[in-house]
Amino acid sequence: MNAIVSIQDLTKIYEGGFQALKGVSLDIEEGEILALLGPNGAGKTTLISTICGMVTPSSGSISVGGFDIARNYREARRLIGLVPQEITLEPFEKVINTVRFSRGLFGKPADPAHIEKILRQLSLWDKKDARIRQLSGGMKRRVLIAKALSHEPRVLFLDEPTAGVDVELRKDMWQVVRALQEDGVTIILTTHYIEEAEAIANRVGVIDGGRILLVKDKQALMQQMGQKELLIELHDPITAIPVGLEDYALRLEDNHLIYTYDTAAERTGITKLLSALAEAGLVLKDVSTQQSSLEDIFVGLVGENG
Amino acid sequence: MNLRAIKAIYIFEMARFFRTLTQSFISPVLSTSLYFVVFGTAIGSRIEQVEGVSYGAFIVPGLIMLSVMTQATSAASFGIYFPKFIGTIYELLSAPVSYLEIVIGYVGAAATKALFIGTIILLTAFLFVDLRIEHPLVMILFLILTCLCFSLLGFIIGIWAGNFEQLQLIPLLVITPLVFLGGSFYAISMLPPVWQAVTMFNPVVYLISGFRWSFFGVSEVPITLSLGAIAIFTVLCLAVIGWIFKTGYKIKN
């Protein structure tokens, strides 16, 4: 895979002395959906804003499609579409005019057919002559996406595309994102909804405190770091973990013994645990397992970092 | 040069102008007509000729300058302040456009609006007074330069302003007084000597005088000085804008 966006040792110190990025290096592969996951203030928006040209980096370099974003800013920026986090639109302008404006701004000749295609894809065609202030919040977000796609970018940045968006619209948005990926667009989205990353990303990057803590294939990440919990419900209530079971790092909650194990490990220790339970004379009522989600992994990582 | 971007900005800005036609077009025409009625007809009928020109005609260049300067400044300052205020400036900053192209788009649109208003006022003036223009080409040149120059100034104000109050501050507290005291409605020679000397520090005096010269062939300061003044003023504005974009002042982190 080729890196379409390549970031090297990027740092950003704001005027007040706040260091938002502390040496970020990241390669974004062509055609992938990369989710950047991180809590508020992690540096997600600063990172995107720097790639897109709204924030000047303090040091480090970024290239998009092989073009340096500072030296060859025109070539680099032509490849990029940006959907900002906040809904920022000229309220009195018509939908279609603001989309046309974006295309012109990026130096592309007028192409009514392309604009129509985008507006239809985003279910905005009926609203093309509406003034932006008349639209609902969800529609406005679609307009932002339409603007970002107006100049046929190869890389699309979505900064928290589904923040404050209802469930229905979020699902719609994911569909749009997947359709774009099928068209060959590389997509980078930031989110603090783990389910979002889990639902649509190919790779997940975790960012916190201005550092990329990890970037991994989503499946591998969940497999590698995914832990399972074995829940053992006891027939007779106990108040303390019985003697002889200290080695298993068990937790006792609501008459359940909980055993955490690594699914990728060679030996999960389940068999030994179960026979140890029998030896301790415990009678089991029910046994179940649950997979830890990306959220648990995330909380684990951010917690360690903090 | 990303000509399409310049065109896109220009068209977008002109659309705003035509959306608010009442505010941006009818109101200056109305207020100018009122000036003509009050100053030109009511008061002017009791004033003798000023420098060989009837008072009604004498105030025409000053009135045009007054409108053009304030309209150019407010159009350009609002044009760039509004995207900053509502956040749509992100698009300009992330687009493959140079700062020069942004300035040409916004300042060009603002200057066009001001030029349009100036022309309308001139045409309106013909309805009220008997007017002659001795140096039409110089008049047009001066009008265009003034539109450009004050649009550049407005652009700077729009970048600098942090809120709507600041946006109005310089036009209200600096430009309007300077224009009124710059001889829009009177000849500098009407003032006591001390004030004549003080007035010479007002840059607007040179602009109004030069513009008036293009109409009547008489001026209070040499025309070359007037042209020099507007050239210096324009260069100063360009230098400040150059500095703004070089440092990203108030627009970029």
Side-chain angles (χ1 to χ4, degrees), chain B residues 15 19 137 139 144-145 166 181 183 231 233:
Chain B
R19 267 203 307 274
L137 285 180
M139 193 276 286
I144 292 174
L145 277 177
Q166 289 178 346
L181 300 175
F233 209 24

Side-chain angles (χ1 to χ4, degrees), chain B residues 131-144:
Chain B
L131 206 57
R132 64 197 156 96
I133 303 172
E134 290 204 352
H135 307 282
L137 285 180
V138 179
M139 193 276 286
I140 292 167
L141 176 75
F142 230 95
L143 193 59
I144 292 174

Side-chain angles (χ1 to χ4, degrees), chain B residues 68-114:
Chain B
V68 161
M69 287 173 182
T70 50
Q71 292 295 325
T73 313
S74 71
S77 61
F78 188 79
I80 190 67
Y81 176 73
F82 198 56
K84 250 177 51 176
F85 176 69
I86 60 173
T88 51
I89 194 154
Y90 84 87
E91 211 181 2
L92 286 175
L93 295 177
S94 64
V97 291
S98 69
Y99 297 137
L100 182 67
E101 289 152 7
I102 295 177
V103 173
I104 294 173
Y106 279 99
V107 168
T112 308
K113 293 173 200 176

Side-chain angles (χ1 to χ4, degrees), chain A residues 137-148:
Chain A
M139 284 286 182
K140 283 180 187 156
R141 212 167 263 284
R142 285 161 193 262
V143 175
L144 284 176
I145 298 180
K147 280 165 78 73

Side-chain angles (χ1 to χ4, degrees), chain A residues 129-144:
Chain A
D129 291 317
R131 306 264 173 212
I132 284 165
R133 66 188 154 87
Q134 300 166 327
L135 301 181
S136 67
M139 284 286 182
K140 283 180 187 156
R141 212 167 263 284
R142 285 161 193 262
V143 175
L144 284 176

